[in-house]
């Protein structure tokens, strides 16, 4: 089974349990539909199905975690009542959030005049598909659209999958899109340090939440302290009797072979890279300036640009693999 690349929010009454709405007569159609949705994962889609306006609305705070939205047109409920107003209200929610997420229709009722204004733009974009013919063409269209929209993630898929698996807050997905896209554009006009800082802060917070880092949220200079805890804190060195060794100045001697966050969780090279990124995003983001060609400055800028991005992508790969393996183990 291929790994899903894109996450889709899908509003359709067929996701409602059959026993809850008395649609025993449609049981076969619903089962075929759900089988088709499961098969979509093999094509690269991970689907979150909802069957009511309230369930759809509950996903709006996490809408950035999704790459596309699919709507049925009839049969969904709002306030416990079936109404054809649901898709209209759901689309308005998307528009009011100022999110330009691609929207699709999968319904047997797309030609009905009552929906003409509601889905006119979706139809113009070639994103309305009849339900009776099965979802194959719809899935192909979604995959094609997503591959075109997110082709800048090629080679850095872990930066996309971090959000797919909820290892970073979905609100930061547009920030990651910007970082990776600007790198693919090779644009020196883009200053990556502040966006990278947002990603790193969230990564460190997530590691703190699961107990890998143990630094209180209200600590002074939290970001730098978390970087140091992850990368530079070492346990005390012990003598033969397991007593902590104290030097002549009364300071605890540290065992540099025994870090607080062990090397089997994060190797020394990745720790170096996180320290480098911490320094770049903490200091240089505010003070680094562009240089002129007269002193080979553009050559310097290009190397700093590449070094920072290479470090960032390496750290994201470590973080994704660490969290992914941890999630598999905990499951």
């Amino acid at each position: 089974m291929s790994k899903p690349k894109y996450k889709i929010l899908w509003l359709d009454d067929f996701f409602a349990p059959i026993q809850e709405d008395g649609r025993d007569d449609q049981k076969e159609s619903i089962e075929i539909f759900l089988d088709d949705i499961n098969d979509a994962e093999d094509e690269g889609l991970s689907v979150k199905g909802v069957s009511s306006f309230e369930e759809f609305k509950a996903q709006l705070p996490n809408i950035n975690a999704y790459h596309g939205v699919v709507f049925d047109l009839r049969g969904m409920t709002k306030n416990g009542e079936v109404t054809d107003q649901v898709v209209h209200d759901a689309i308005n929610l998307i528009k009011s959030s100022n999110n330009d997420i691609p929207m699709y229709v999968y319904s047997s009722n797309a030609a009905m005049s009552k929906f003409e204004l509601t889905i006119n733009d979706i139809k113009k974009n070639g994103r309305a598909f009849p339900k009776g013919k099965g979802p194959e063409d719809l899935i192909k269209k979604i995959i094609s659209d997503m591959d075109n929209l997110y082709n800048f993630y090629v080679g850095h898929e872990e930066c996309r999958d971090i959000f797919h698996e909820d290892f970073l807050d979905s609100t930061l997905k547009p920030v990651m899109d910007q970082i990776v896209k600007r790198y693919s554009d090779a644009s020196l006009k883009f200053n990556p340090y502040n966006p990278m800082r947002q990603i790193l802060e969230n990564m460190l917070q997530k590691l703190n939440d699961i107990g890998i880092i143990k630094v209180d949220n209200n600590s002074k200079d939290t970001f730098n302290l978390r970087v140091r805890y992850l990368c530079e804190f070492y346990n005390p060195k012990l003598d033969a009797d397991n007593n902590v060794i104290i030097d002549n100045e009364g300071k605890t001697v540290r065992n540099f072979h025994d870090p607080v966050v062990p090397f089997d969780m994060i190797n020394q090279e990745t720790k170096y890279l996180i320290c480098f990124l911490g320094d770049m995003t903490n200091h240089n983001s505010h003070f680094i300036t562009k240089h002129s060609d007269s002193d080979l400055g553009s050559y310097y800028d290009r190397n700093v640009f590449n070094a920072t991005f290479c470090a960032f992508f390496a750290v994201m790969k470590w973080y994704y693999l660490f969290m992914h393996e941890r999630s598999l183990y905990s499951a």
Side-chain angles (χ1 to χ4, degrees):
M1 178 180 292
S2 61
K3 182 179 178 180
K5 297 191 295 181
Y6 306 116
K7 196 170 182 178
I8 303 298
L9 179 59
W10 197 313
L11 176 61
D12 193 302
D13 62 302
F14 276 12
F15 287 113
I18 296 174
Q19 62 271 22
E20 289 186 6
D21 55 19
R23 293 177 301 165
D24 290 333
D25 58 324
Q26 299 186 57
K27 183 177 180 179
E28 184 177 354
S29 297
I30 294 172
E31 289 177 347
I32 291 172
F33 171 80
L34 295 177
D35 285 342
D36 287 337
I37 297 303
N38 288 333
D39 290 343
E41 188 165 311
D42 289 335
E43 303 298 325
L45 301 184
S46 174
V47 174
K48 168 65 176 179
V50 294
S51 61
S52 70
F53 177 79
E54 288 76 18
E55 289 178 324
F56 183 86
K57 186 176 181 180
Q59 294 299 315
L60 260 291
N62 302 315
I63 195 63
N64 285 324
Y66 296 98
H67 299 93
V69 181
V70 178
F71 298 107
D72 189 14
L73 296 178
R74 307 191 75 186
M76 292 82 70
T77 62
K78 182 178 182 180
N79 299 323
E81 300 292 333
V82 176
T83 171
D84 290 345
Q85 187 71 17
V86 170
V87 68
H88 173 272
D89 294 346
I91 289 175
N92 280 345
L93 275 181
I94 294 289
K95 291 180 177 178
S96 65
S97 70
N98 294 317
N99 192 297
D100 58 356
I101 188 169
M103 293 183 283
Y104 302 81
V105 165
Y106 182 59
S107 173
S108 301
N109 303 291
M112 293 183 68
S113 58
K114 67 164 64 179
F115 297 113
E116 183 175 354
L117 292 178
T118 301
I119 65 171
N120 186 50
D121 290 341
I122 296 175
K123 293 175 72 173
K124 282 183 177 179
N125 288 323
R127 292 173 174 169
F129 295 83
K131 200 169 191 177
K133 295 184 178 180
E136 290 82 6
D137 290 341
L138 167 65
I139 292 171
K140 288 178 181 178
K141 175 63 174 172
I142 293 175
I143 294 293
S144 174
D145 287 350
M146 297 303 110
D147 284 347
N148 288 329
L149 283 171
Y150 293 99
N151 59 6
F152 51 87
Y153 273 108
V154 173
H156 304 291
E157 289 82 3
E158 64 279 352
C159 293
R160 176 198 66 207
D161 295 341
I162 280 174
F163 295 97
H164 181 77
E165 299 187 37
D166 299 322
F167 298 151
L168 290 176
D169 290 344
S170 63
T171 54
L172 290 174
K173 181 175 167 290
V175 176
M176 185 70 85
D177 288 347
Q178 183 187 40
I179 291 171
V180 183
K181 189 174 190 303
R182 292 304 184 187
Y183 177 74
S184 71
D185 293 342
S187 174
L188 281 174
K189 296 179 181 179
F190 172 65
N191 184 331
Y193 304 112
N194 288 327
M196 287 181 180
R197 170 65 175 255
Q198 295 178 61
I199 298 293
L200 292 172
E201 285 178 338
N202 194 231
M203 180 191 81
L204 294 171
Q205 178 66 57
K206 296 291 187 183
L207 292 172
N208 202 80
D209 291 343
I210 63 176
I212 305 301
I213 298 173
K214 298 176 182 178
V215 175
D216 188 87
N217 289 332
N218 297 319
S219 300
K220 184 178 180 180
D221 202 12
T222 303
F223 176 78
N224 289 321
L225 189 56
R226 284 176 174 167
V227 169
R228 293 189 61 210
Y229 189 101
L230 184 63
C231 303
E232 299 179 350
F233 282 13
Y234 295 86
N235 290 312
K237 192 171 185 178
L238 305 177
D239 61 19
D241 297 320
N242 285 329
N243 296 312
V244 174
I245 299 175
I246 306 297
D247 65 16
N248 294 332
E249 298 179 354
K251 296 180 180 179
T252 299
V253 177
R254 299 293 169 180
N255 183 353
F256 295 106
H257 297 289
D258 184 22
V260 171
V261 181
F263 291 131
D264 60 1
M265 284 189 178
I266 174 171
N267 61 32
Q268 184 65 71
E269 292 79 4
T270 303
K271 292 188 178 194
Y272 288 147
L273 293 178
I274 291 174
C275 289
F276 168 71
L277 289 172
D279 183 60
M280 291 298 291
T281 63
N282 191 38
H283 302 294
N284 294 338
S285 60
H286 301 291
F287 303 117
I288 198 166
T289 57
K290 297 297 180 184
H291 298 80
S292 68
D293 287 335
S294 60
D295 60 355
L296 297 179
S298 60
Y299 177 79
Y300 170 82
D301 289 338
R302 172 63 64 188
N303 279 288
V304 170
F305 179 91
N306 284 334
T308 305
F309 272 100
C310 287
F312 178 79
F313 290 136
V315 169
M316 290 300 100
K317 184 179 286 291
W318 164 78
Y319 178 64
Y320 171 76
L321 291 174
F322 173 76
M323 294 294 281
H324 181 72
E325 290 173 5
R326 182 180 180 276
S327 66
L328 291 176
Y329 180 79
S330 60

